[in-house]
Amino acid sequence: MAPPRASSLLLAGLAAALSCTDERTNPLVPKFGEATAEELVGAMTLDEKIAEMHGTGAVDELFETAPNERLGIPGLKMVDGPRGVRAGHATAFPVAAARGATFDVELERRVGEAIGVEASAKGANMILAPTMNVLRHPAWGRAQETYGEDPTHVGAMAVAFIEGAQTHVLASAKHFAVNSIEDTRFDVDVTIDERTLREVYLPHFRRAVVDGHVASVMSAYNAVNGAPMSESAHLLRDILKGEWGFDGFVESDWVFGTRSTAGAAIGGLDIEMPTPVYFGGALSDAVLAGAVPESIIDEAATRVVRKKLAFADKLRPTVDATKVESPEHLALARDVAVESMVLLVNDGALPIARAPGTLVVVGPLAKVANLGDLGSSAVTPSSAITPLQGIEAVAAPLGVVHVEGPTFSTAELETLASASAVVVVAGLTSDEEGEGLITKGGDRETLSLPPAQEKMILDVAAVAKQTIVVVEAGSAIVVRPWVDQVSALLMAWYPGMQGGAAIADVLFGDASPGGRLPASFPRAEADLVSFDHSSLEVTYGFLHGYRWLDDQDTEPEFPFGFGLSYTTFAMSGLAVTRGAEGVIEVGVDVTNTGPRDGDEVVQVYVGAPAGSAVPRAPRDLRAFTRVHLAAGETRRASLTVREEDLAYFDVATSTWIVEPGSYAFSVGSSSRALPLAVSSMLP
Ligand code: BGC
């Protein structure tokens, strides 16, 4: 039944209203849950409208906006963040980079839902996630918070997270947009041409809006083409709210995220967080002085109230500790960590055989639950499993010895030499990468491991029979100085509170690794586009990541999409057919040709027609799916590519154009292993 409108309320309640002085019971006053957003905002004073447009600070780790008691409108209660809830103890999931490596959208939907459940159970009604900036360069301090370098992949993962989370709370797609340097995040101005902006830095945000129906978008700290993102009318009004039809609200990133009163309000910012520096009394004064039209305030307040109405049943959650760190969420955290592990090198040392002998586990990080950055994405679980604990729990009959490192005594070298195998746990921590100004981390100084760790790996490799390296980090590591000396290399990311158990699951073969790199690992840092963490002005080109490496014909150490398994796969029978309404169907048979069950990630890349009117990447990922196959099993994977995704943005006409011609569809298991290809004439 449609809610009664203000006009009918008016007639029905007129008599009662004549004698009524209490606004809460006055039938003339529209009520939250009964009236529309427009009616509620229409009944607000200027100050009440502006109160919808700013935070009021933090209470018990939740960032709040004020409720409107008179109209019965609840306030927002926001909480970070992308790998779990940053309030008290909560389930610490693997970081988003790890979840990107799963290439498993259904799993990510479950993570989003679990984080939404926990946010709600903590009393929040909005989660400040997902972080979904395309990883332009792996040295970005917050690389671990996002899903990877490819817009199609980031978009698909983020949509899944949003859909899951929004079954319980509002989500926030952040940081809109072109946010990829941390150390100068408040000041950097990114110059970017319109085509690069549209085709590389925005498509995933568009998906979050159009497919994910995300309730809110957080504007980034940085400026784009001279305008701070919290007042970029071009991005906020023309593109986000105009072209994409976003009907939610934009909140600023936190301290220093809002830079002006009139500029931000007119530019399209709806909520200043976390407190009213520009959007409190100053905004009211600006309206009264005629510097900001009241229609701008009406629109912003309506956007906020509209989303509150859409999420009305979720705005007053019940605090419920039993829903936090539940057995189901811990099991999910472990499954995700297992699926996220990327096996990069294996000369047969893995899986480790459970036979009598000694396994030596080396490295200070073996005894640490290395959960990642300590900035706004930090999550504090009530307990967490270290790699050493995970290995010790399942190694029998192998005996496990820990040698601290990074330097070794003569006796320790003898222990390493006599062991059946040595597992070295290496990597980065919040000291080397993370959110700027909050932790030591910030942007990375180098893509290499710290020198002491490189030496530690080489010292082990010089004496051990088998050196198995487990790397924990948020993104690509340059491994060239030592990788040829080791028997196996497993990328474990920051694997969350169950990480130690998941690492052991994979090392011992209780699970077969099936994660794939969501970002290219270069041989040398110079192989990638440049990254300067002190930039105040920077220009972004069209290519980065695998597109750049492909364009330059530069061999990566490990390509985007790459990952080994304990089994083997083959693909055949590629068919590309035109479906209805601009959808292209891609079908391929995938066979597990090896001795055990495992997961393959089918990847579809598309190259534009020869002689394109604009420069193109050699090929772009357009679809992917993760397939679980029992040993010997064959299944047909079905994927879809939208014709519109093959368009280029024509700057002169501001339109998207699908060029007529022959498009090359290549299918395989990484951006550099594409055994199947067919051409298709489009559009
Ligand atoms: C970060 C956001 C975060 C916010 C609130 C900012 O510094 O950039 O990602 O959500 O703080 O903690």
Side-chain angles (χ1 to χ4, degrees):
M1 196 179 73
R5 303 185 65 84
S7 49
S8 53
L9 286 169
L10 189 143
L11 289 173
L14 198 56
L18 289 174
S19 59
C20 182
T21 50
D22 184 346
E23 296 243 326
R24 282 165 305 179
T25 53
N26 185 345
L28 281 180
V29 178
K31 297 288 178 315
F32 185 74
E34 296 171 358
T36 65
E38 287 76 9
E39 287 164 352
L40 288 161
V41 172
M44 288 182 185
T45 64
L46 177 62
D47 285 346
E48 284 178 322
K49 287 186 267 193
I50 290 176
E52 296 290 334
M53 294 177 63
H54 63 75
T56 52
V59 178
D60 293 338
E61 304 174 276
L62 309 187
F63 300 103
E64 301 198 343
T65 67
N68 182 322
E69 307 288 1
R70 187 173 73 88
L71 302 176
I73 306 175
L76 294 170
K77 293 175 190 291
M78 313 178 186
V79 71
D80 285 302
R83 67 172 191 259
V85 178
R86 183 184 172 223
H89 288 145
T91 304
F93 287 95
V95 294
R99 289 162 14 225
T102 68
F103 280 74
D104 188 337
V105 290
E106 286 314 313
L107 198 61
E108 185 60 7
R109 195 184 313 280
R110 289 172 56 204
V111 171
E113 181 164 9
I115 292 177
V117 165
E118 295 202 6
S120 180
K122 294 272 184 184
N125 54 29
M126 174 163 160
I127 183 89
L128 299 170
T131 299
M132 51 178 301
N133 298 103
V134 147
L135 184 64
R136 181 178 174 276
H137 194 285
W140 182 37
R142 299 176 76 170
Q144 64 191 271
E145 273 186 55
T146 191
Y147 298 103
E149 72 183 31
D150 178 85
T152 297
H153 168 257
V154 171
M157 300 303 288
V159 165
F161 180 95
I162 291 162
E163 287 175 347
Q166 289 198 159
T167 55
H168 300 277
V169 290
L170 289 81
S172 172
K174 70 185 189 183
H175 311 82
F176 187 73
V178 203
N179 181 337
S180 38
I181 300 178
E182 196 55 15
D183 291 355
T184 55
R185 62 178 170 163
F186 301 120
D187 304 305
V188 65
D189 179 15
V190 183
T191 299
I192 187 166
D193 65 88
E194 193 67 18
R195 195 182 149 226
T196 301
L197 180 66
R198 301 297 190 120
E199 292 185 34
V200 182
Y201 292 89
L202 297 186
H204 40 300
F205 280 107
R206 179 169 175 269
R207 287 277 156 245
V209 169
V210 175
D211 296 347
H213 307 289
V214 73
S216 81
V217 167
M218 185 190 293
S219 60
Y221 283 125
N222 52 279
V224 174
N225 293 332
M229 270 311 309
S230 55
E231 50 194 74
S232 170
H234 181 50
L235 275 114
L236 299 182
R237 286 206 184 276
D238 301 346
I239 298 176
L240 175 66
K241 296 177 178 177
E243 288 177 30
W244 300 350
F246 175 61
D247 70 347
F249 59 86
V250 177
E251 79 278 3
S252 70
D253 201 343
W254 261 231
V255 188
F256 307 134
T258 308
R259 305 294 168 78
S260 69
T261 298
I266 293 169
L269 182 70
D270 301 305
I271 298 184
E272 178 189 17
M273 290 303 294
T275 52
V277 178
Y278 294 103
F279 272 19
L283 186 52
S284 170
D285 293 347
V287 173
L288 296 175
V292 175
E294 191 159 351
S295 58
I296 294 273
I297 307 299
D298 290 345
E299 192 220 312
T302 304
R303 283 178 173 277
V304 176
V305 174
R306 186 189 296 139
K307 284 300 146 185
K308 287 182 177 176
L309 285 170
F311 286 76
D313 58 333
K314 304 176 178 78
L315 291 186
R316 295 187 185 88
T318 311
V319 174
D320 182 352
T322 64
K323 293 188 173 156
V324 180
E325 293 186 299
S326 62
E328 296 77 26
H329 291 179
L330 265 49
L332 178 61
R334 182 164 174 169
D335 288 349
V336 175
V338 167
E339 278 209 14
S340 76
M341 303 278 159
V342 187
L343 183 61
L344 294 171
V345 173
N346 188 16
D347 71 1
L350 291 179
I352 298 169
R354 286 186 175 104
T358 304
L359 178 72
V360 179
V361 180
V362 166
L365 286 179
K367 286 168 77 177
V368 175
N370 191 9
L371 304 180
D373 176 29
L374 298 179
S376 63
S377 69
V379 179
T380 312
S382 39
S383 67
I385 302 170
T386 68
L388 183 60
Q389 289 167 337
I391 291 167
E392 281 173 340
V394 298
L398 261 177
V400 178
V401 172
H402 179 244
V403 172
E404 179 83 8
T407 55
F408 305 109
S409 66
T410 310
E412 286 172 333
L413 285 172
E414 280 166 14
T415 304
L416 296 173
S418 61
S420 359
V422 179
V423 173
V424 183
V425 182
L428 308 179
T429 67
S430 55
D431 283 350
E432 284 92 22
E433 60 178 345
E435 187 168 341
L437 293 188
I438 294 183
T439 62
K440 272 203 273 174
D443 295 317
R444 279 161 69 183
E445 297 285 342
T446 165
L447 294 189
S448 302
L449 289 177
Q453 294 199 41
E454 289 195 335
K455 183 168 184 317
M456 173 175 75
I457 293 169
L458 287 168
D459 288 350
V460 171
V463 297
K465 294 188 191 77
Q466 289 184 321
T467 303
I468 298 157
V469 180
V470 175
V471 169
E472 295 175 330
S475 189
I477 300 283
V478 168
V479 299
R480 186 87 313 267
W482 49 267
V483 73
D484 292 340
Q485 316 304 316
V486 306
S487 308
L489 169 58
L490 182 70
M491 185 68 192
W493 316 100
Y494 296 115
M497 66 189 292
Q498 295 284 307
I503 287 170
D505 285 341
V506 172
L507 290 180
F508 288 97
D510 299 328
S512 179
R516 301 304 166 88
L517 292 182
S520 310
F521 277 38
R523 292 195 164 203
E525 184 160 349
D527 292 346
L528 296 181
V529 294
S530 66
F531 179 86
D532 176 2
H533 66 110
S534 63
S535 303
L536 294 176
E537 291 182 1
V538 64
T539 300
Y540 285 177
F542 185 61
L543 301 171
H544 74 275
Y546 71 85
R547 293 176 176 80
W548 168 260
L549 293 166
D550 289 352
D551 184 75
Q552 301 289 303
D553 224 354
T554 302
E555 198 62 34
E557 186 77 54
F558 304 114
F560 175 87
F562 173 77
L564 301 168
S565 168
Y566 293 154
T567 185
T568 49
F569 300 96
M571 294 187 204
S572 61
L574 172 63
V576 175
T577 48
R578 305 283 294 280
E581 291 171 17
V583 169
I584 301 153
E585 318 272 0
V586 180
V588 62
D589 289 327
V590 195
T591 303
N592 180 344
T593 52
R596 50 175 298 161
D597 301 357
D599 291 6
E600 173 66 303
V601 177
V602 180
Q603 301 164 46
V604 178
Y605 295 80
V606 184
S612 172
V614 289
R616 303 275 198 141
R619 66 195 78 87
D620 301 283
L621 180 75
R622 295 303 184 191
F624 62 89
T625 186
R626 180 167 175 146
V627 191
H628 181 76
L629 293 164
E633 186 184 356
T634 296
R635 272 171 53 189
R636 189 143 184 92
S638 302
L639 306 92
T640 55
V641 175
R642 278 178 282 224
E643 207 171 280
E644 64 175 59
D645 289 343
L646 306 179
Y648 77 87
F649 186 77
D650 183 53
V651 179
T653 58
S654 209
T655 53
W656 291 89
I657 297 177
V658 181
E659 281 185 304
S662 170
Y663 288 75
F665 285 71
S666 356
V667 175
S669 57
S670 88
S671 61
R672 292 286 176 115
L674 298 166
L676 305 178
V678 298
S679 292
S680 182
M681 291 299 289
L682 297 172

